[in-house]
Amino acid sequence: MWPWGHLAVGYLLYSFFVHASARRAPDGYATVALALGTQFPDLVDKPLAWTFGVLPNGRSLAHSLVLALVLLALLVVLFRRLDRGTMATAFAVGYFSHLFGDALDPLLAGDFYSLGFLAWPLVAPIQYETEQSFVAHLQELSPAALVSDEGLFALLMVVLWLYDGAPGLRVVAAIPQWVGRRLSV
């Protein structure tokens, strides 16, 4: 799944969850945490595997339910102590939606071997047919990827995000100011 597909699935799930449970749109900080959660497994695994060669492949450490459960339990405890429980929930929804998105095709195909990444390191790493790198991964991008189900989900996400009041936009827009203040101290 491409980054926009992970973001779209995560935001659609989280927004529906917040609307159903709290009768409101997601807030800005939680939306940023959700967005980070939807990308987190790839932000960890792909560079560590493809650039630095310390992981067996681009779906191992952060794609494992073993690490996910430990990391998310720690985040929930930390964020609840900071009175930011919604941020932990949003990150967790994003993280789990990423894992679900990567597991969906193999699951539907009955390819249980390819689901092994969910249990790494308890099971051997998956042997992928091709050597991966960022360049090789980007070469797989085609216009069809934009008009696929991921593209449709991304379009639906943008519509819902705008309906929700574009949560997170102000938070992200304030980051350069925040960094500038920290650097000038």
Side-chain angles (χ1 to χ4, degrees):
M1 189 174 270
W2 291 97
W4 56 84
H6 285 301
L7 179 62
V9 170
Y11 187 79
L12 292 170
L13 288 171
Y14 186 68
S15 180
F16 292 141
F17 168 75
V18 172
H19 280 282
S21 63
R23 307 273 187 241
R24 61 169 178 79
D27 69 54
Y29 288 102
T31 301
V32 172
L34 169 87
L36 289 172
T38 65
Q39 306 306 308
F40 182 77
D42 286 343
L43 291 174
V44 172
D45 285 354
K46 305 262 189 274
L48 290 177
W50 297 348
T51 304
F52 300 107
V54 297
L55 291 178
N57 59 54
R59 283 188 185 162
S60 48
L61 178 67
H63 282 76
S64 171
L65 284 172
V66 176
L67 175 75
L69 293 172
V70 171
L71 176 66
L72 293 173
L74 293 171
L75 281 177
V76 165
V77 169
L78 173 66
F79 277 75
R80 283 195 177 153
R81 286 187 180 174
L82 297 173
D83 199 27
R84 297 282 186 186
T86 58
M87 289 176 64
T89 301
F91 186 88
V93 169
Y95 198 147
F96 282 127
S97 73
H98 183 110
L99 299 181
F100 171 77
D102 282 350
L104 187 59
D105 284 342
L107 184 64
L108 292 175
D111 180 10
F112 299 110
Y113 168 77
S114 293
L115 294 173
F117 68 88
L118 293 170
W120 188 87
L122 302 177
V123 299
I126 297 170
Q127 299 298 317
Y128 291 103
E129 291 180 23
T130 60
E131 186 67 31
Q132 283 291 345
S133 69
F134 286 106
V135 172
H137 193 63
L138 290 174
Q139 287 174 338
E140 294 175 6
L141 182 60
S142 69
L146 300 174
V147 294
S148 66
D149 53 350
E150 289 184 54
L152 176 62
F153 285 142
L155 179 62
L156 290 172
M157 178 208 61
V158 169
V159 169
L160 180 59
W161 180 70
L162 291 171
Y163 173 80
D164 286 345
L169 186 60
R170 287 187 183 146
V171 174
V172 172
I175 290 173
Q177 257 185 337
W178 183 83
V179 170
R181 284 193 303 255
R182 298 301 179 266
L183 295 176
S184 66
V185 172

